[in-house]
């Protein structure tokens, strides 16, 4: 990767496989985040002269741990791309491969060398939600509802890919007034993975307490609702816990019965009162989302907003999900195999121990054994037959097709013989 001045020539791999090359016009003053990462936004010329907003994220070659974290983020974004290719938004006539507008799309990447990087889509006129709130204060009712709908659409597609973001903050969301673009997947993982809690105060202090270390979708839903309250009220995260609904459903701080005036964001006094959040969203919108072990997911939040559930490219496609997950785990194991100081005890990707066999459990209503996600699809055994042949039993067994045909032919022959005999006797 080379760049000079405001323009940069980037070479790397693409999610489709073949190597690509891009020429990006960067804005050196428009960085989304700081050290140890450098995130620059720019424009990428597209077909027909239409420029596409992009962002490049890279690390310093001297920061080895940040480079490893960036490689893990590349693996998540690459797997998300493959998951959306299989089971993403339904395509239309103009876009055969549609990608959710609320999630960054991986364009190119390189995980080799000491300075990995990746290139993703961005918003041309967007800024981080935190910068927007610091610049102009809380959002209005209509804009806040648009933010909520866009956020939960993005989380819906993340959950369709079985990925948990785990670090939603105002600085990890780009907002242009219409679309909330979720980025920074440095802490993302698979749903159900054992991961320690992401300690990133002050927002991490709002997460409900957990008795285990298993990542699930409710983490993102709860954090998104806190962000919506933050955007609507302008309250800092430390004060959001005091906002609770009263008996009439009015959201306020503590035991206040009437809305109080809030300070003007410009520093002077203001007669603006605290917003009545209950009138901004349907009744029961925030119900149970902040409770420990809440079962509320993004699809239910869209239903509460009376938003139509997005249409998928196909029906639920578990094979597509497994294909993306296999690619993800293959990259992880290949990286560990190449960088291990001594040969690890497990074989490299694509090989299996002698006698090692796994079967994918049949999905059912109850909990079952964990599905294997560390083998390529070519090595997976077919799922069990839902109607197996149980063998001979006390009752009559199944009749083969050849035997049934022989029985029918014998019956027809007997009937014809009897008719001939009867006709012959009648002629006598």
């Amino acid at each position: 990767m080379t760049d000079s001045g405001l323009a940069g020539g980037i070479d790397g791999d693409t999610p489709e496989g073949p190597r690509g090359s891009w020429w990006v016009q960067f804005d050196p003053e428009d960085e989304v985040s700081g050290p140890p990462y450098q995130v620059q936004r720019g424009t990428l010329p597209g077909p027909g002269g239409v420029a596409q907003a992009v962002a490049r994220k890279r690390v310093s070659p001297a920061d080895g741990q940040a480079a490893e974290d960036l490689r893990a983020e590349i693996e998540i974004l690459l797997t998300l791309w493959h998951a959306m290719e299989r089971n993403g938004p339904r395509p239309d006539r103009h876009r055969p491969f549609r990608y959710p507008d609320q999630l960054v799309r991986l364009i190119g990447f390189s995980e080799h060398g000491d300075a990995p990087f990746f290139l993703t889509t961005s918003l041309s006129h967007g800024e981080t939600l935190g910068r927007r709130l610091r610049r102009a204060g809380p959002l209005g009712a209509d804009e806040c509802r648009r933010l909520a709908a866009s956020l939960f659409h993005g989380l819906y597609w993340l959950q369709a890919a079985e990925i948990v973001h785990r670090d939603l903050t105002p600085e990890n969301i780009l907002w242009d007034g219409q679309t909330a673009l979720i980025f920074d997947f440095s802490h993302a993982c698979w749903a159900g993975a054992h991961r320690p809690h992401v300690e990133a105060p002050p927002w991490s202090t709002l997460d409900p307490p957990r008795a285990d270390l298993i990542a699930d979708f409710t983490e993102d839903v709860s954090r998104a609702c806190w962000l919506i309250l933050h955007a609507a009220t302008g309250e800092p995260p430390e004060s959001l816990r005091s906002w609770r609904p009263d008996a009439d459903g009015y959201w306020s701080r503590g035991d206040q019965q009437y809305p109080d005036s809030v300070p003007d964001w410009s520093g002077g006094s203001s007669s603006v009162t605290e917003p009545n959040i209950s009138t901004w969203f349907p009744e029961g919108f925030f119900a149970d989302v902040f409770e420990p072990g809440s079962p509320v997911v993004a699809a239910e939040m869209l239903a509460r907003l009376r938003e139509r559930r997005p249409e998928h490219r196909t029906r639920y496609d578990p094979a597509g999900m497994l294909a993306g997950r296999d690619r993800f785990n293959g990259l992880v194991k290949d990286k560990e195999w190449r960088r291990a100081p001594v040969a690890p005890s497990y074989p490299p990707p694509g090989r299996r121990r002698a006698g090692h066999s796994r079967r994918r459990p049949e999905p059912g209503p109850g909990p079952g054994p964990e599905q294997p996600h560390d083998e390529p699809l070519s090595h997976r055994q077919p799922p069990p037959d839902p109607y197996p042949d149980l063998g001979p039993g006390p009752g009559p067994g199944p009749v083969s097709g050849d035997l049934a045909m022989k029985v029918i032919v014998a019956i027809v022959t007997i009937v014809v013989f009897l008719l001939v005999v009867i006709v012959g006797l009648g002629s006598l």
Side-chain angles (χ1 to χ4, degrees), residues 90-369:
R90 181 183 293 253
D92 54 29
R93 182 175 58 183
H94 304 288
R95 292 187 294 177
F97 174 33
R98 291 186 58 194
Y99 198 90
D101 296 332
Q102 300 82 13
L103 302 175
V104 292
R105 176 173 59 84
L106 185 63
I107 299 176
F109 66 96
S110 174
E111 62 168 355
H112 308 292
D114 297 330
F117 74 92
F118 62 79
L119 186 69
T120 65
T121 56
S122 182
L123 293 179
S124 57
H125 301 290
E127 58 183 342
T128 63
L129 180 61
R131 184 183 299 179
R132 158 63 181 81
L133 296 177
R134 292 189 295 270
R135 176 179 58 81
L139 307 182
D142 294 337
E143 188 175 3
C144 197
R145 282 193 294 267
R146 292 196 300 271
L147 172 68
S150 187
L151 264 181
F152 288 119
H153 271 94
L155 293 182
Y156 175 87
W157 289 115
L158 270 186
Q159 294 174 13
E162 300 184 9
I163 292 176
V164 185
H165 189 279
R166 303 176 67 234
D167 191 29
L168 288 177
T169 67
E171 305 305 324
N172 293 341
I173 297 172
L174 288 178
W175 175 244
D176 62 358
Q178 299 293 331
T179 302
L181 182 69
I182 302 174
F183 66 99
D184 192 359
F185 287 78
S186 54
H187 294 286
C189 68
W190 291 108
H194 289 263
R195 291 290 188 275
H197 183 252
V198 178
E199 297 296 340
W203 289 100
S204 60
T205 60
L206 297 174
D207 296 334
R210 304 182 61 85
D212 52 44
L213 298 178
I214 300 178
D216 60 24
F217 303 134
T218 59
E219 297 182 50
D220 291 344
V221 172
S222 172
R223 185 72 69 85
C225 289
W226 285 123
L227 292 178
I228 293 169
L229 284 176
H230 172 64
T233 63
E235 292 284 343
E238 298 83 357
S239 304
L240 287 178
R241 282 196 179 276
S242 61
W243 281 74
R244 285 291 185 270
D246 56 17
D248 298 327
Y250 175 75
W251 279 73
S252 61
R253 291 179 298 175
D255 298 329
Q256 296 174 353
Q257 297 181 354
Y258 302 99
D260 293 338
S261 59
V262 295
D264 187 6
W265 285 78
S266 61
S269 60
S270 173
S271 60
V272 179
T273 59
E274 292 177 351
N276 187 348
I277 307 299
S278 302
T279 63
W280 290 18
F281 299 98
E283 183 178 359
F285 177 72
F286 294 104
D288 300 328
V289 295
F290 303 124
E291 302 300 327
S294 169
V296 182
V297 293
E300 182 174 346
M301 297 304 295
L302 288 176
R304 294 180 181 183
L305 279 172
R306 299 181 177 88
E307 290 281 331
R308 170 183 270 183
R309 181 176 295 191
E311 295 183 352
H312 288 249
R313 169 179 293 270
T314 60
R315 295 182 179 180
Y316 176 68
D317 183 9
M321 300 298 102
L322 290 175
R325 182 171 295 185
D326 284 334
R327 181 74 181 272
F328 171 77
N329 285 283
L331 288 173
V332 173
K333 283 201 167 185
D334 180 68
K335 178 178 64 178
E336 294 175 354
W337 178 265
R338 287 185 284 104
R339 298 179 184 175
V342 296
S345 59
Y346 56 83
R351 302 180 185 177
R352 298 168 62 185
R353 300 185 184 95
H356 180 68
S357 174
R358 288 186 177 181
R359 292 178 66 87
R360 182 181 173 194
E362 186 73 7

Side-chain angles (χ1 to χ4, degrees), residues 25-41:
Q25 191 78 16
F26 289 109
D27 184 354
E29 299 180 357
D30 195 2
E31 291 196 6
V32 180
S33 61
Y37 304 107
Q38 181 187 16
V39 182
Q40 286 184 295
R41 295 172 62 186

Side-chain angles (χ1 to χ4, degrees), residues 59-103:
V59 296
S60 170
D63 198 332
Q65 182 57 47
E68 288 298 319
D69 295 340
L70 189 64
R71 290 186 180 96
E73 188 172 357
I74 291 173
E75 292 160 358
I76 284 287
L77 291 174
L78 179 61
T79 309
L80 180 60
W81 189 95
H82 284 284
M84 292 298 101
E85 184 186 30
R86 293 297 187 99
N87 197 31
R90 181 183 293 253
D92 54 29
R93 182 175 58 183
H94 304 288
R95 292 187 294 177
F97 174 33
R98 291 186 58 194
Y99 198 90
D101 296 332
Q102 300 82 13
L103 302 175

